[in-house]
Amino acid sequence: MYKLLTIAVAATFIAACADSEQNTSTIDGQLVSILDALGHTADPLASRTLPAITDPKAQLGKKLFFSKALGGRADSACVSCHHPMLGGGDNLALSIGVDAEVPDLLGPGRFHDGFRAAEDNNSHFDGGPTVPRNAPTTFNIGLWDQVLFHDGRVESLDKIVAANGAGAGGIRTPDSAYGIADPDSGDNLVAAQSRFPVTSPEEMRGFIFAAGNSNAAVRSGLEAVLNAVPAWSIEFALVYGDGTVSYTRIADAIAEYERSQVFVNTPWKAYVDGDSNSISESAKRGAMLFFSSLQDGGANCASCHAGDLFTDEGFHVLAMPQIGRG
């Protein structure tokens, strides 16, 4: 009886394994067909060239990114809210830039110093974070083409022209009117973005400057700070040929460092490249739902999370409540 039971169990197990292999094979075939029809390659780098972290300009940008010399009170840096070990962000619901209790403590445990906030006439301080939104990751920032920031206030008008067939080219920023290119933004979306955290009182600028100081005046002040330090002049000369520190060069270098933070070698990419064992069977079923239309029994997620970067770079009303000051 025991032998008969063992044989029966073994036969059932073999049959189940065979069914599972057949199901997996069927799902693989269906997914390949869907992905081919969508033109999905899981390789967002295919049509673009991004810098390597070892490039001299990216290395200069890294030093600037980690330097509190770009903070108005020298107590915050780009990395204060965007640390590589914290996923390119800060792992906080709302970021804390200036007036931290411990400026060198990043991520969870970073709190505002109420006394310093009062000294700085920081009228926004109420015991909680003053940065109105959470810090988006800098990882893969070089793969975005149309907009940056949560509200898209830095946008490539060139890309919008290509998508909509109307308007003018260039990059719009908070320094220019809506729909009008900022003449100082250049043609690099990430470099244009990196000109603004230093002008935000809550993020890096602080509250010690005169209220009437323009963004341009703040950037000029930071140029003067770095030009007064011979070590920075040497660093800039190695990259740009002379030691003059301009904010255009600062933004350019920081952008190169940010654009070098590329992470695309994922299990999903391995699967699309032919390794059918790189993701689980349940993940494959999820991918079927994700990429299939409603008419085909799917969830139609890919209608918005489209392409190899999984986004249409559009804005959608999601009825999510605002937290923080917004």
Side-chain angles (χ1 to χ4, degrees):
M1 172 66 86
Y2 176 76
K3 290 183 178 179
L4 289 176
L5 179 61
T6 301
I7 293 171
V9 170
T12 302
F13 178 76
I14 292 171
C17 289
D19 288 343
S20 177
E21 290 177 1
Q22 184 176 9
N23 290 339
T24 299
S25 177
T26 300
I27 291 177
D28 287 336
Q30 291 173 334
L31 261 180
V32 168
S33 298
I34 293 171
L35 297 176
D36 284 347
L38 293 173
H40 184 87
T41 68
D43 186 9
L45 294 176
S47 60
R48 67 190 77 216
T49 301
L50 295 175
I53 183 60
T54 53
D55 291 349
K57 189 185 291 186
Q59 283 293 300
L60 171 59
K62 181 180 179 180
K63 293 173 183 177
L64 292 164
F65 192 90
F66 278 74
S67 174
K68 291 197 285 290
L70 293 180
R73 187 168 171 157
D75 70 343
S76 61
C78 303
V79 76
S80 299
C81 296
H82 304 281
H83 198 287
M85 294 298 291
L86 295 170
D90 58 11
N91 202 23
L92 296 173
L94 294 172
S95 296
I96 295 174
V98 301
D99 294 330
E101 289 180 344
V102 183
D104 291 334
L105 192 159
L106 308 183
R110 184 177 176 91
F111 298 104
H112 269 117
D113 184 334
F115 293 106
R116 291 187 69 182
E119 290 174 2
D120 288 350
N121 296 316
N122 180 350
S123 60
H124 289 169
F125 182 76
D126 58 6
T130 57
V131 176
R133 295 192 175 104
N134 69 305
T137 180
T138 52
F139 289 178
N140 291 335
I141 193 173
L143 303 180
W144 292 84
D145 290 322
Q146 293 189 22
V147 296
L148 291 175
F149 287 120
H150 289 297
D151 55 6
R153 62 187 180 273
V154 169
E155 61 179 343
S156 171
L157 301 178
D158 291 320
K159 299 296 182 181
I160 294 173
V161 168
N164 301 330
I171 295 176
R172 182 188 71 87
T173 75
D175 282 350
S176 59
Y178 183 76
I180 304 298
D182 180 348
D184 298 322
S185 65
D187 58 2
N188 185 320
L189 200 63
V190 184
Q193 174 274 328
S194 65
R195 295 170 60 234
F196 289 94
V198 297
T199 67
S200 166
E202 297 86 1
E203 295 176 29
M204 294 178 67
R205 173 179 170 175
F207 295 83
I208 60 176
F209 291 101
N213 278 2
S214 66
N215 288 351
V218 172
R219 297 186 191 106
S220 295
L222 294 174
E223 292 174 357
V225 169
L226 269 63
N227 273 308
V229 180
W232 282 118
S233 295
I234 293 171
E235 294 279 359
F236 275 77
L238 292 174
V239 172
Y240 293 101
D242 66 73
T244 302
V245 179
S246 68
Y247 204 87
T248 298
R249 289 179 172 182
I250 292 172
D252 179 50
I254 290 175
E256 286 298 280
Y257 169 60
E258 292 184 1
R259 292 171 70 242
S260 75
Q261 298 179 0
V262 179
F263 297 89
V264 296
N265 291 323
T266 63
W268 172 250
K269 184 177 184 301
Y271 177 79
V272 176
D273 287 343
D275 182 1
S276 59
N277 296 317
S278 63
I279 62 175
S280 67
E281 185 175 350
S282 61
K284 295 174 186 179
R285 292 196 298 270
M288 286 289 294
L289 289 169
F290 187 96
F291 287 102
S292 296
S293 66
L294 296 174
Q295 294 86 343
D296 294 330
N300 204 31
C301 305
S303 62
C304 292
H305 299 281
D308 296 318
L309 191 56
F310 290 97
T311 178
D312 60 4
E313 294 195 56
F315 293 89
H316 304 269
V317 177
L318 301 179
M320 294 181 67
Q322 170 70 42
I323 63 170
R325 293 170 179 79

